[in-house]
Amino acid sequence: MAVLVTGGAGYIGSHTVAALLERGEDIVVLDNLQQGHKEALLGGKLYVGDLRDAEVLDRVFTENEIDAIIHFAANSLVGESMKLPGKYYHNNVYGTLCLLEKMNEYNVKKIVFSSTAATYGEPEQVPIDEYDRTLPTNAYGETKLAMEKMMQWFDTAHEIKSISLRYFNAAGAHDSGKIGEDHRPETHLVPIVLEAALGKRPHISVFGDDYDTPDGTCIRDYIHVSDLADAHVLAVDRLRTGADSSVYNLGNGQGFSVKEVIEIARTVTGKEIPALIEPRRAGDPAVLVASSERARSELGWAPSRSELKHIITSAWNWHASRPNGYEG
Ligand code: UDP
């Protein structure tokens, strides 16, 4: 029996493929390679194709014995989603619908879903737990919430069990140094700070220093990508025991400000990293920190690489050795 990983050539997908390989799982990857990188795959059988292409899904399901799915394939840029919501509804929501219908057709009953803290929007309380209000403030978060809900209805009607994992801020790179973060364009804080350390950018822009936080910059909960990957493997295990559908937050439970991230990156890299204060970025909540108690107690998840210094050191190993990412 194999695990199908959609979007397995992407950042979190490829680290999850690595974690599954370590466990000796049979892996099938479906990725359209629009954002993913073939070189990010350390193993598995790759199908290059799109979720919305029924023919490729038929091939995946008839040529392999799929027992569970980990579903990453989606567009994930908040800014782009505000300009092109149709693209997000089409690829994310309709793509997931196509996948769920094929799961039903081929009697595949387990799916682990890559969701996001963006499903909460502006938090009502910090740390955020899974029972808090979900009111996304951007189209990307709205599509992820719609995908979660679609899965719940497919459970009610067809007994397809799902675990949705709502990530906070994924960062870092695999301990082997073989895979890491390579988004084009890059919008995330940690890789951008490290690009500034490498001299690929003149400075890091700090988006706002007038938030209601101790140093005025936004606070986020950074979690190592390999810790996230482990949670997906544990979620597959849980579904294999016959567990019910559920939702889990994945974060470290500790917040760091933008200025603190830059300061730690200066220590790790030994570089100056010039920073410029710029206006706030639309839609950024001041503080996002997760309560991941539920994932710890029910999945047995124990993040072990998510000390911020370790996250940034692992990311720096990757960026410094591959300054041009997978093209380097
Ligand atoms: N940020 C920043 N400069 C950048 C990129 C991000 O100041 O060039 C800030 C952003 O406003 C947020 C935090 O860093 O407060 C984390 O942003 P990121 O895009 O990495 O993740 P998000 O929290 O939006 O998912």
Side-chain angles (χ1 to χ4, degrees):
M1 295 297 260
V3 177
L4 168 63
V5 184
T6 76
Y11 174 45
I12 305 171
S14 60
H15 286 75
T16 301
V17 167
L20 290 166
L21 282 170
E22 280 162 29
R23 286 243 309 215
E25 297 272 356
D26 272 342
I27 304 164
V28 176
V29 171
L30 174 64
D31 199 300
N32 64 14
L33 296 181
Q34 274 176 17
Q35 297 152 87
H37 308 272
K38 216 174 177 171
E39 308 74 31
L41 282 175
L42 299 182
K45 175 175 169 191
L46 173 65
Y47 288 77
V48 179
D50 197 286
L51 290 174
R52 295 162 292 184
D53 179 349
E55 223 170 275
V56 78
L57 282 181
D58 282 331
R59 274 204 292 126
V60 167
F61 285 111
T62 51
E63 291 172 11
N64 305 280
E65 254 194 83
I66 307 291
D67 132 70
I69 296 179
I70 307 181
H71 178 35
F72 294 98
N75 291 111
S76 62
L77 299 177
V78 169
E80 184 188 55
S81 79
M82 299 301 277
K83 294 191 186 108
L84 300 171
K87 174 175 173 180
Y88 280 69
Y89 275 86
H90 206 273
N91 188 29
N92 296 3
V93 179
Y94 176 59
T96 299
L97 174 60
C98 295
L99 179 65
L100 287 168
E101 295 204 306
K102 284 289 171 200
M103 285 177 73
N104 194 32
E105 187 180 329
Y106 288 97
N107 208 28
V108 178
K109 298 289 188 187
K110 301 183 247 332
I111 182 165
V112 174
F113 173 53
S114 153
S115 191
T116 168
T119 52
Y120 294 107
E122 192 69 48
E124 286 178 295
Q125 53 155 20
V126 176
I128 301 171
D129 74 39
E130 292 84 353
Y131 299 101
D132 289 349
R133 176 191 68 187
T134 47
L135 197 60
T137 51
N138 55 62
Y140 162 65
E142 194 73 71
T143 60
K144 287 273 172 165
L145 188 59
M147 293 149 87
E148 282 190 10
K149 288 184 177 168
M150 202 191 302
M151 286 180 211
Q152 288 161 15
W153 290 114
F154 272 73
D155 180 5
T156 307
H158 307 299
E159 295 197 346
I160 291 178
K161 300 294 170 192
S162 66
I163 290 183
S164 293
L165 300 175
R166 293 181 178 156
Y167 323 144
F168 284 65
N169 289 64
H174 198 260
D175 286 338
S176 68
K178 289 183 186 159
I179 56 175
E181 191 165 9
D182 182 0
H183 293 116
R184 294 160 199 239
E186 190 52 76
T187 62
H188 295 114
L189 180 65
V190 171
I192 290 180
V193 168
L194 297 179
E195 284 177 13
L198 282 170
K200 291 181 69 189
R201 295 176 188 255
H203 61 264
I204 169 78
S205 301
V206 175
F207 297 145
D209 70 347
D210 56 351
Y211 285 94
D212 186 14
T213 60
D215 68 17
T217 64
C218 288
I219 292 178
R220 293 289 181 272
D221 181 335
Y222 296 89
I223 183 83
H224 195 283
V225 63
S226 294
D227 283 337
L228 288 183
D230 288 347
H232 293 76
V233 177
L234 292 168
V236 168
D237 284 347
R238 184 167 170 82
L239 289 175
R240 281 176 174 159
T241 66
D244 231 332
S245 295
S246 47
V247 175
Y248 297 102
N249 285 341
L250 298 180
N252 192 22
Q254 205 188 345
F256 290 90
S257 73
V258 174
K259 281 188 178 167
E260 286 172 326
V261 170
I262 296 170
E263 214 34 69
I264 294 174
R266 285 178 178 139
T267 309
V268 166
T269 63
K271 309 280 182 186
E272 191 191 338
I273 314 185
L276 278 188
I277 307 298
E278 296 201 14
R280 290 181 177 199
R281 188 172 69 176
D284 269 346
V287 181
L288 285 177
V289 176
S291 161
S292 303
E293 286 316 307
R294 200 169 172 191
R296 288 169 194 263
S297 65
E298 290 184 17
L299 293 179
W301 184 55
S304 61
R305 311 164 185 91
S306 290
E307 195 219 331
L308 189 55
K309 197 166 173 198
H310 177 80
I311 292 178
I312 293 181
T313 303
S314 70
W316 178 239
N317 287 343
W318 160 255
H319 286 283
S321 68
R322 302 287 290 263
N324 297 314
Y326 289 105
E327 280 171 17

